[in-house]
Amino acid sequence: MAPPKDLSKLISLTQTTQTLLSHFQTSLTPTTKPSSTSSDAPSLPNGTLPAIHAATTLLKSHTTTLSLLLLTPPLTPSALIGKIGDVTSGALSGMVAAAAYVPGPGARDELGQIMRSEMRAAVLRVVGAWSEVLRQVLGMAEARRELSGKDAGPSEAERRDVLAATGVVWDVCDKVLRLCDGGVVELVLSKAQQLRAVLLDAVEEIKEWGEDVASDSEDGAEGSADEEDDGFGDEDDFFAAENKIGKDDVELKALLDRSVKKLKMVAIMYQAVGKRRLNTFPAVRGSNPASVSAVAAEGELAGETPAQKLDKLMHILKTIPDSVDDLASTFYELDQEEAEVELKKVCDKAKSAVELVKKSWTDTDDEFTAWSAKWTQALDLA
């Protein structure tokens, strides 16, 4: 049985570490402005992702060892104290520092906002999972401080909880490692596919709204003779007619048809950009520090890294569905002039996305370069 003094030290350390983890979580929250944004922020010599990759691998190993210590009787406070120290002052603190790091003014940004935000969220989940491991340590230590006899080992409930907490840490660590090992490609492809789906849903709604015009107008004319001659007819029909294209609105109907064609062209652009650019993004491998500088160097000619260009591209792709919603609203309001304006905004944004990545990530011409010129011309003629 461990001496009460050793157990008290373990309990005290666990409680102090829980407070430290709360500070870690605060430093990783989106509303927090990390101190490393200053111009004198220290750089990470081997790159952010390699640092996170190494720290995550070490943390997973330490957690496995700590789990075995908890499951093997008797509970050994000194060993647990040492292992907790290894994690908090080494692996976990290193991981958090790398994830919270932001390049200072003038420093090259190897990750970009998309990858940095995703990585912070992933590391934040690791901190949360490790907090649960600490909770298991604290609970088992406090329970044994009340024992007067021999430590018979963890109860079935304690064993189950320790294994569950350890499994969660392994899982979140594996997700961080996958993200380090080129996960940004999978991430942006998924986001682009979701945005394209939203765009196509909006296009379909606009198309169906336009197709319902003729039948609704005819039904209204046939039913008017049967309605009471009060000048209004059915209340729902009266208000619904406020945002329906009239049979004589030939120009607005033509604009709607033209808009649907152009929006379908924009949806094709999402597919092409996803296949030819997002899918070929030069992912920075966390396990290979040399690749970090290699990828960063690819952006020299354009004056920005591929990650920074990717941020700009994804921002444009994200705003296009919102602009399509604005376009739809102008049609529902039967505002032809404003619809022309909103349609131009959508097309201009789509063309700017294509122009941004017209050349490859290494700033050379390829098949997509030629395709982009043809697509832009087709969009203008649609």
Side-chain angles (χ1 to χ4, degrees), residues 35 37 52 77 115 157 161 177 179 200 205 211 214 233 256 278 308:
S35 59
T37 55
I52 294 175
M115 186 62 166
D161 291 343
L177 294 175
L179 196 57
L200 287 174
E205 287 182 12
E211 291 173 345
L256 186 144
L278 300 182
Q308 290 170 317

Side-chain angles (χ1 to χ4, degrees), residues 60-347:
K60 189 176 178 182
S61 175
H62 283 324
T63 303
T64 301
T65 303
L66 189 142
S67 176
L68 291 173
L69 289 173
L70 290 174
L71 297 176
T72 305
L75 195 72
T76 311
S78 58
L80 291 170
I81 288 172
K83 190 54 60 177
I84 292 173
D86 289 339
V87 170
T88 55
S89 63
L92 195 58
S93 61
M95 184 192 306
V96 171
Y101 170 76
V102 176
R108 179 163 292 280
D109 187 357
E110 72 187 48
L111 293 188
Q113 290 299 324
I114 294 175
M115 186 62 166
R116 183 175 295 106
S117 296
E118 195 70 17
M119 184 58 74
R120 283 187 181 180
V123 172
L124 189 59
R125 288 191 288 271
V126 172
V127 176
W130 222 78
S131 295
E132 180 59 26
V133 172
L134 276 181
R135 196 173 74 83
Q136 299 304 321
V137 175
L138 179 60
M140 291 179 68
E142 289 178 334
R144 276 142 190 81
R145 189 167 59 175
E146 303 300 324
L147 289 177
S148 57
K150 181 180 179 181
D151 181 4
S155 65
E156 187 58 35
E158 288 175 332
R159 179 180 293 274
R160 183 178 61 248
D161 291 343
V162 168
L163 290 175
T166 303
V168 172
V169 172
W170 285 349
D171 182 59
V172 293
C173 283
D174 286 342
K175 289 178 180 177
V176 171
L177 294 175
R178 284 197 297 270
L179 196 57
C180 287
D181 290 332
V184 66
V185 173
E186 181 180 344
L187 172 67
V188 294
L189 271 174
S190 175
K191 289 183 181 294
Q193 290 167 358
Q194 292 170 7
L195 292 170
R196 179 176 179 272
V198 172
L199 169 63
L200 287 174
D201 285 344
V203 173
E204 192 61 29
E205 287 182 12
I206 294 174
K207 181 182 176 182
E208 290 179 358
W209 177 77
E211 291 173 345
D212 287 342
V213 171
S215 59
D216 286 351
S217 298
E218 293 170 2
D219 292 343
E222 293 172 358
S224 59
D226 299 327
E227 295 168 355
E228 294 182 10
D229 188 17
D230 57 6
F232 291 99
D234 183 82
E235 181 182 359
D236 291 337
D237 290 341
F238 173 76
F239 286 104
E242 292 295 318
N243 69 339
K244 294 293 184 182
I245 299 179
K247 289 185 292 184
D248 298 329
D249 290 333
V250 179
E251 292 185 1
L252 186 59
K253 185 65 169 67
L255 176 58
L256 186 144
D257 293 340
R258 182 157 55 92
S259 297
V260 170
K261 291 180 181 178
K262 288 183 179 291
L263 293 178
K264 287 182 177 179
M265 289 288 296
V266 174
I268 292 174
M269 179 272 293
Y270 273 82
Q271 265 186 318
V273 168
K275 181 178 180 180
R276 302 295 180 182
R277 286 296 178 259
L278 300 182
N279 198 42
T280 61
F281 182 76
V284 183
R285 303 289 173 179
S287 55
N288 183 6
S291 66
V292 176
S293 57
V295 170
E298 291 174 348
E300 288 291 346
L301 293 177
E304 59 185 358
T305 65
Q308 290 170 317
K309 184 177 289 188
L310 180 64
D311 280 344
K312 291 181 181 179
L313 173 63
M314 294 305 296
H315 174 72
I316 297 172
L317 296 182
K318 183 179 179 181
T319 61
I320 288 176
D322 293 335
S323 294
V324 173
D325 285 342
D326 293 337
L327 172 62
S329 296
T330 62
F331 278 117
Y332 300 153
E333 294 168 4
L334 307 181
D335 190 337
Q336 180 177 341
E337 183 177 347
E338 193 61 28
E340 291 275 12
V341 173
E342 293 300 331
L343 177 60
K344 185 178 185 302
K345 285 182 181 178
V346 173
C347 293

